[in-house]
Amino acid sequence: MCEPDAVRTPRLDLVPLAVAHADEMAGILADPALHSFIGGAPLTPPELRSRYERLTAGSPDPGTVWCNWVVRLRAEDRLAGTVQATVTDGGRVAEVAWVIGTEWQGRGLAREAAGALVALLAERGVRTVVAHVHPAHTASRSVARAAGLTPTDRVRDGEIRWEGTLPGR
């Protein structure tokens, strides 16, 4: 389900997550403002390495596939964020998320990365894409809309469920 190679967009490479990305990503995710809507606090490099070890090992549930990529901005040859998908229901449903470091926000990178992720999921047979977005997070609402998702009336942990139906093959 998860692409073993990088996914290329006009400006970005989505590179499969590796534990080796933790040190660079810890700096990118260090701004406490990034956690305003998603909760938690920035992780230290050792904490992030531990998290990436768990993520790259895969889901303990055989019915769930974890797909995680770092977002590399080619022009700067630097990581700028992450995108992820948790795929369930026999590969038909994916819950997606994205985060772009504060330094790179406002350039459409989340929109580009999330769009590439949703396109890849469609190619892999996913039919329903879901994201949970805080109602006050204007930028993430814009990314979800650009990725083809629409808000529903369902709320979980204060976040609105956005959904999109992907075309069949």
Side-chain angles (χ1 to χ4, degrees):
M1 169 57 62
C2 298
E3 182 67 36
D5 298 318
V7 176
R8 195 169 173 93
T9 73
R11 298 179 293 167
L12 308 171
D13 290 320
L14 307 185
V15 179
L17 179 74
V19 175
H21 294 126
D23 287 341
E24 186 175 357
M25 285 304 303
I28 292 161
L29 302 175
D31 184 354
L34 283 175
H35 302 269
S36 297
F37 294 111
I38 61 174
L43 299 178
T44 65
E47 291 169 332
L48 200 55
R49 271 193 299 280
S50 178
R51 177 176 171 77
Y52 286 3
E53 286 170 358
R54 287 189 306 277
L55 290 173
T56 58
S59 171
D61 177 353
T64 300
V65 177
W66 292 340
C67 303
N68 296 276
W69 293 266
V70 291
V71 176
R72 179 172 294 284
L73 181 58
R74 276 193 307 279
E76 298 179 16
D77 193 27
R78 291 183 64 194
L79 299 182
T82 63
V83 292
Q84 63 188 50
T86 300
V87 183
T88 58
D89 196 23
R92 292 182 297 273
V93 176
E95 184 162 340
V96 299
W98 49 84
V99 62
I100 296 295
T102 306
E103 180 179 340
W104 296 273
Q105 290 179 3
R107 298 200 245 174
L109 301 181
R111 182 179 300 211
E112 189 171 327
L117 173 60
V118 169
L120 176 66
L121 293 169
E123 290 173 13
R124 299 287 183 260
V126 170
R127 293 295 150 249
T128 303
V129 175
V130 174
H132 289 88
V133 179
H134 190 283
H137 199 315
T138 305
S140 276
R141 289 193 333 251
S142 176
V143 171
R145 189 169 284 109
L149 310 181
T150 55
T152 69
D153 59 359
R154 290 184 268 176
V155 177
R156 182 180 80 191
D157 297 327
E159 295 182 324
I160 297 171
R161 179 182 171 109
W162 289 63
E163 285 187 16
T165 302
L166 304 177
R169 289 189 242 183

